[in-house]
Amino acid sequence: KQAEISQEEFFGFLKDKQGLLEGVALCGGEPTLNPELPEFIKKIKDFGFKVKLDTNGSNPKMLKLLVDQKLVDYVAMDIKLPKERYGLVFGGKLSADDIEESIKILKNGSVDFEFRTTVAPGIHAPDDLGRMAAWIGPGTPGKTPKYFLQNFRPERNIDPAFENLRPFGPEFFEQALEKIRPFLPDAKVR
């Protein structure tokens, strides 16, 4: 677990980095669950920094507020599974309906964004990724959503059992992109 720092220390750090850094990425856990997030972001913006939000899409109300109030400059949203598997895997912790609402907010909003999936053996198959791309769906004309696949990395996992998994090879990603590109033609692997 990372050591906590006070807001005073954090904003002191930002003040010292003005002119050296462009922005701040808000990630870890799920930032949108904190009701104080809008005020925190406003303070960051007061220092002249851009703000990137990493989210799992589970709190569409907060996401909409942040987008509508132009508090975020970029959003990276994780799509973890095909829609029909969210309830099976996450139970009531992550709702597919909330994820879908967050997808719509980003696709219909004015903030720059991307969707991404970290793919892991035993969890994802190329067909799963095709269904996820269909769920995200194409954007409005001239605005196709960005979608990135990220290969699972076995180090530093919450569950030590994952440390023994071997990441996918290039063949998997070729098959996955074949399933994805009919829906999201610009999908890429990072």
Side-chain angles (χ1 to χ4, degrees):
K1 183 177 176 177
Q2 297 261 337
E4 288 187 25
I5 64 168
S6 69
Q7 282 198 29
E8 185 178 322
E9 288 176 275
F10 175 75
F11 288 111
F13 173 84
L14 285 188
K15 184 175 179 160
D16 291 343
K17 299 303 177 189
Q18 283 179 302
L20 298 173
L21 299 176
E22 267 186 62
V24 174
L26 301 175
C27 58
E30 177 51 41
T32 64
L33 295 178
N34 188 329
E36 298 172 15
L37 186 60
E39 288 306 313
F40 185 70
I41 292 174
K42 285 176 187 171
K43 290 179 186 175
I44 294 170
K45 301 284 259 175
D46 286 345
F47 281 90
F49 291 98
K50 292 182 178 181
V51 174
K52 174 189 176 236
L53 174 68
D54 289 355
T55 181
N56 63 18
S58 64
N59 190 348
K61 288 179 184 168
M62 177 65 80
L63 180 61
K64 182 164 178 37
L65 184 144
L66 297 175
V67 170
D68 288 351
Q69 292 188 8
K70 300 186 182 336
L71 292 175
V72 289
D73 300 286
Y74 193 85
V75 176
M77 183 175 147
D78 293 317
I79 306 293
K80 298 188 180 295
L81 296 164
K83 181 178 181 177
E84 66 276 7
R85 286 183 51 204
Y86 264 82
L88 297 171
V89 173
F90 296 111
K93 294 179 184 172
L94 289 180
S95 156
D97 291 340
D98 287 342
I99 306 306
E100 187 165 346
E101 183 63 25
S102 291
I103 290 169
K104 289 176 184 173
I105 289 166
L106 292 177
K107 286 173 58 176
N108 296 323
S110 60
V111 68
D112 197 12
F113 68 93
E114 70 182 55
F115 297 111
R116 63 188 183 192
T117 299
T118 300
V119 294
I123 297 173
H124 299 105
D127 286 342
D128 293 325
L129 296 162
R131 289 195 314 278
M132 292 158 71
W135 185 24
I136 294 168
T140 57
K143 189 178 175 186
T144 301
K146 291 178 267 189
Y147 185 45
F148 295 97
L149 300 180
Q150 303 171 153
N151 206 353
F152 167 79
R153 295 172 57 186
E155 64 272 358
R156 294 182 298 159
N157 284 282
I158 294 171
D159 184 344
F162 284 103
E163 292 176 8
N164 297 321
L165 291 179
R166 297 185 67 202
F168 286 117
E171 310 80 32
F172 174 89
F173 289 99
E174 289 171 20
Q175 292 172 11
L177 288 172
E178 283 179 25
K179 302 287 184 178
I180 292 167
R181 287 199 168 132
F183 307 100
L184 300 167
D186 298 328
K188 292 182 174 51
V189 176
R190 287 195 181 144

